Amino acid sequence: MDLPTKIAAFCRELGEGRLLEISRRQQVEEVFRAAEEALRSGRIGPELEADLDQLDQVVAQVEGLGLYPAPLRAYQPLPGPVRQTGARWWTCPLVQCAGRGRVRPGQQAPTCAAAGRPLVAGPLPG
């Protein structure tokens, strides 16, 4: 799984408080805080990924499922001219994570927990 997808999973948890509570109970709050600070300051790299992987393991031990989404088979279009579908995707305003999902008509923009700013509607990722 790529780092932007891991960051997107972590960002979704930042706003809820559940991951922080689990981290406190399992005595890994310092890992949670280090990941949060690295993300907010833009330090995206192997240290952040290691912290996210550790938090994923802790959540999996406690709840049976980790932070990351299950891997899915993805459709890959055939080579050739690229057609735009017009579909929009909520993207990270800091361009650090994989985003949050398809934009639906009339939907209010979710907030990026790391940046404290609304996500931005952009083209569907390729």
Side-chain angles (χ1 to χ4, degrees):
M1 177 175 304
D2 65 355
L3 183 55
T5 301
K6 293 177 180 182
I7 292 172
F10 181 67
C11 282
R12 281 190 291 275
E13 297 295 327
L14 279 178
E16 293 182 12
R18 178 182 132 262
L19 180 57
L20 176 58
E21 181 57 37
I22 291 171
S23 299
R24 285 182 178 148
R25 280 189 278 136
Q26 299 301 313
Q27 296 153 355
V28 292
E29 182 178 357
E30 69 280 354
V31 175
F32 174 89
R33 295 292 181 194
E36 180 181 40
E37 179 56 33
L39 183 59
R40 291 196 175 165
S41 65
R43 292 188 322 260
I44 308 301
E47 297 84 14
L48 173 60
E49 187 167 19
D51 287 343
L52 295 178
D53 288 343
Q54 184 176 353
L55 291 169
D56 177 60
Q57 290 173 353
V58 167
V59 171
Q61 289 171 353
V62 171
E63 297 192 342
L65 293 172
L67 294 175
Y68 306 146
L72 299 173
R73 290 182 151 185
Y75 164 78
Q76 295 293 325
L78 295 172
V82 177
R83 285 190 224 128
Q84 294 296 329
T85 64
R88 309 288 285 167
W89 186 266
W90 291 117
T91 60
C92 176
L94 300 177
V95 193
Q96 294 177 338
C97 78
R100 179 85 50 97
R102 191 168 72 85
V103 176
R104 303 206 189 299
Q107 179 184 21
Q108 191 165 359
T111 300
C112 174
R117 299 190 326 230
L119 295 177
V120 179
L124 195 64

